[in-house]
Amino acid sequence: LPLKTPNILGESAPVAFDISNMQKDLRSMLETGGELGVSMPTTDGVLSNYSAAAESGLAAHDAVDVVQFMIEQSKRHKES
């Protein structure tokens, strides 16, 4: 966690595992769950958040940068 604190706080830090790779892994989890007949709504919701972050241009950013993305999305939602 100490290595990810700068990312969580919105500061610059090296990318260890990017949002694009997180999307790939989440899709793989959902595919496996589907093959086993297991519903994974939380994982599906998480994938939606990562996909929104990637679509906003953050695909190459560290996966924990999704925290700041979600904070910004929440602020925008409150303002509208």
Side-chain angles (χ1 to χ4, degrees):
L1 186 62
L3 294 176
K4 296 299 177 184
T5 301
N7 295 82
I8 294 168
L9 296 175
E11 300 169 6
S12 181
V15 174
F17 191 75
D18 66 28
I19 286 173
S20 179
N21 281 318
M22 183 63 82
Q23 284 180 282
K24 178 184 66 71
D25 285 359
L26 290 164
R27 285 187 190 107
S28 178
M29 289 177 215
L30 289 168
E31 181 180 332
T32 300
E35 291 169 1
L36 297 171
V38 177
S39 175
M40 300 170 64
T42 302
T43 304
D44 193 47
V46 171
L47 176 58
S48 293
N49 290 332
Y50 276 97
S51 294
E55 290 168 11
S56 78
L58 300 177
H61 286 237
D62 197 278
V64 296
D65 287 351
V66 78
V67 173
Q68 278 299 315
F69 174 77
M70 296 306 299
I71 289 169
E72 291 302 317
Q73 292 298 306
S74 177
K75 287 179 185 175
R76 287 188 189 120
H77 180 72
K78 288 179 183 177
E79 292 172 357
S80 54

